[in-house]
Amino acid sequence: MNFEFTEEQLAVQAAARDFAQTELLPGVIERDNKQEFPTEQIKKMGELGFLGMMTDPKYNGGGMDAVSYVLAMEEISKIDASSSVVMSVNNSLVCAGLEKHGTEEQKQKYLTKLTTGEQIGAFCLSEPEAGSDATSQRTTAVDMGDHYLLNGTKNWITNGNSASVYIVMAQTNPEKRHKGINALIIEKGMDGFVVGKKEDKLGIRGSDTHSLMFTDVKVPKENRIGAEGFGFSFAMGTLNGGRIGIASQALGIASGAYELALKYSKERKAFGKEICQHQAIQFKLADMATNIDAARLLCLQAAVMKDQGKDFAKEGAMAKLFASQTAMDTTVEAVQIHGGYGFVKEYHVERLMRDAKITQIYEGTSEIQKIVISREVLK
Ligand code: CAA
């Protein structure tokens, strides 16, 4: 076993860290306050190759491994989780799903633009009555011969308005239950497709989360991903990879908060000495550092297994479960170490605490991760 990163992986990590410091940090508090999408920043991320990191270069991707992706996601998420969720969804749910299962025409038409950020993608599985219970899709795609007629509503869709390309799961054959679901590519501007209201969220407020409405949208058959009825399998397999992205986001939120708390504890004085000289603070720092290392190792384990072509569903779920809990615990303690300063926006840790919560909810709640893990353990 070798715990060293390659020079290439370290260069990606350094580039992501540099980008986060110079391009994302200025304005991150303001974007959070105003719920402002980081349009310019995401454009630059696309130009630098952060939006299609693992995709084959023949589709304008970076051809990098999943380990590099984890390292970059951590660095971006330390500073701006609103930007890193755009990056995660575009990389792991949209580009990876299309590259693995799309037709050559779909890849040429969509993937080549999604990898560069010319277009942004969204992954549309959740519905008002189908969150964790994802097989209960109410959105329908009726087979009309040469096209599907799409009707329904999707909820809590990341990149809901900023996206141009949407992968939408919809039920075609309800009698076949989840095996009747199709994954369809929808373009913004198709007749009958309306982007609904923007959610006013607790965290990741710079990202745009919307409901989507489809009324008699005509979707050409060539926009279906994979065979008839493959949609649910597509969604589950793609989400396995997505969970590595969100786990790394949670890791970054935790390590970002930890770094701020560590620095502050060396500067702030109380009872005649720096607060890091007090054991009450030292024990908090020790717990944070230990959990963050464990979370990072779980993320990297899942990434290495993915890079080796092994089944990583359990490891991805474990990484997400543990890293998201670490993000919550660490950010709460980072606010505590900052005391009153931690409760105000200027010190960043309160934002990281708010951002942390969603990592226990999206791309499968912590409870769903436990279902995935326990099923694998009991196989
Ligand atoms: N990997 C691959 N296949 C999987 C899988 C996994 N992790 N989990 C389930 N499946 C497959 C099963 O093998 C089964 O297929 P077969 O019938 O062919 O064997 C099929 O999916 C249905 O599974 P179950 O019969 O076990 O169905 P269930 O209803 O008992 O459980 C579930 C399914 C695992 C709970 C699933 O509904 C689930 O994962 N829910 C969470 C949904 C989710 O993660 N949503 C996130 C939304 S996207 C998002 O958040 C993006 C964003 O914006 C950031």
Side-chain angles (χ1 to χ4, degrees):
M1 189 170 286
N2 178 3
F3 282 91
E4 298 298 318
F5 295 117
T6 64
E7 273 184 31
E8 203 180 27
Q9 289 161 347
L10 288 171
V12 172
Q13 183 185 45
R17 186 178 298 155
D18 183 55
F19 177 79
Q21 287 294 333
T22 55
E23 302 286 345
L24 296 177
L25 187 56
V28 67
I29 294 173
E30 205 181 351
R31 290 195 298 276
D32 174 73
N33 275 339
K34 294 185 179 163
Q35 303 189 66
E36 191 179 293
F37 187 80
T39 308
E40 280 309 305
Q41 292 77 1
I42 295 298
K43 189 167 173 278
K44 283 186 187 158
M45 281 171 86
E47 286 161 7
L48 289 171
F50 287 123
L51 296 183
M53 291 183 66
M54 294 169 288
T55 311
D56 193 312
K58 73 178 174 192
Y59 303 114
N60 301 329
M64 290 176 223
D65 56 13
V67 169
S68 301
Y69 176 54
V70 168
L71 297 178
M73 274 297 298
E74 180 181 355
E75 292 305 322
I76 302 289
S77 306
K78 278 183 189 175
I79 305 296
D80 187 2
S82 292
S83 293
S84 73
V85 70
V86 181
M87 174 175 164
S88 183
V89 167
N90 203 70
N91 271 285
S92 349
L93 295 186
V94 181
C95 290
L98 267 177
E99 182 172 27
K100 190 161 181 202
H101 300 290
T103 62
E104 191 52 35
E105 290 72 30
Q106 288 168 351
K107 291 181 199 179
Q108 291 299 340
K109 188 168 176 191
Y110 302 109
L111 188 55
T112 51
K113 294 182 184 141
L114 288 161
T115 45
T116 60
E118 189 184 328
Q119 294 192 328
I120 301 289
F123 183 86
C124 315
L125 178 67
S126 302
E127 298 185 354
E129 291 173 85
S132 290
D133 185 11
T135 59
S136 299
Q137 294 287 301
R138 293 225 172 41
T139 298
T140 54
V142 177
D143 191 337
M144 305 298 282
D146 65 339
H147 66 273
Y148 294 98
L149 209 54
L150 184 70
N151 280 285
T153 301
K154 293 287 172 183
N155 254 27
W156 311 296
I157 303 303
T158 303
N159 303 338
N161 194 36
S162 54
S164 312
V165 177
Y166 300 76
I167 300 179
V168 178
M169 269 45 78
Q171 182 58 268
T172 297
N173 289 298
E175 66 285 358
K176 292 189 180 167
R177 299 170 49 81
H178 65 273
K179 290 192 165 73
I181 294 171
N182 280 313
L184 305 173
I185 304 170
I186 312 297
E187 292 175 33
K188 191 182 249 159
M190 279 182 167
D191 279 349
F193 171 27
V194 173
V195 175
K197 80 171 169 68
K198 180 174 173 171
E199 301 293 351
D200 185 359
K201 307 189 297 282
L202 171 74
I204 54 163
R205 287 168 63 80
S207 72
D208 64 325
T209 309
H210 288 256
S211 53
L212 308 174
M213 273 78 79
F214 305 99
T215 310
D216 289 341
V217 180
K218 271 176 88 169
V219 187
K221 279 263 168 90
E222 64 258 28
N223 282 26
R224 189 185 68 217
I225 301 176
E228 180 74 41
F230 178 65
F232 195 74
S233 182
F234 167 82
M236 290 296 108
T238 306
L239 274 167
N240 286 334
R243 287 165 187 164
I244 297 180
I246 300 302
S248 314
Q249 179 189 47
L251 166 67
I253 293 170
S255 55
Y258 164 73
E259 286 175 12
L260 290 169
L262 181 65
K263 182 166 174 283
Y264 182 82
S265 75
K266 292 176 182 169
E267 292 163 1
R268 174 73 174 170
K269 287 196 174 139
F271 305 102
K273 53 187 176 185
E274 291 81 15
I275 60 171
C276 66
Q277 303 296 329
H278 296 292
Q279 200 176 51
I281 302 298
Q282 291 169 351
F283 280 13
K284 287 186 196 301
L285 294 170
D287 283 341
M288 289 166 148
T290 305
N291 285 328
I292 289 167
D293 263 18
R296 189 179 293 109
L297 288 170
L298 282 172
C299 289
L300 291 170
Q301 169 179 250
V304 167
M305 289 178 72
K306 182 171 186 288
D307 287 335
Q308 291 174 344
K310 293 180 181 156
D311 183 356
F312 60 92
K314 180 183 80 184
E315 287 72 17
M318 284 176 163
K320 183 176 182 293
L321 176 68
F322 189 81
S324 60
Q325 185 63 50
T326 299
M328 274 318 295
D329 295 345
T330 307
T331 54
V332 167
E333 288 295 52
V335 171
Q336 191 70 15
I337 289 173
H338 280 77
Y341 292 106
F343 205 62
V344 297
K345 297 194 181 246
E346 197 185 330
Y347 284 77
H348 297 283
V349 283
E350 66 81 34
R351 186 187 71 257
L352 292 166
M353 187 180 93
R354 288 185 286 105
D355 289 348
K357 186 60 203 168
I358 191 60
T359 65
Q360 294 186 305
I361 298 173
Y362 58 20
E363 300 207 16
T365 61
S366 294
E367 291 74 14
I368 292 294
Q369 305 313 321
K370 288 183 191 181
I371 291 178
V372 174
I373 296 163
S374 57
R375 282 179 180 176
E376 293 287 335
V377 166
L378 291 166
K379 253 183 191 169

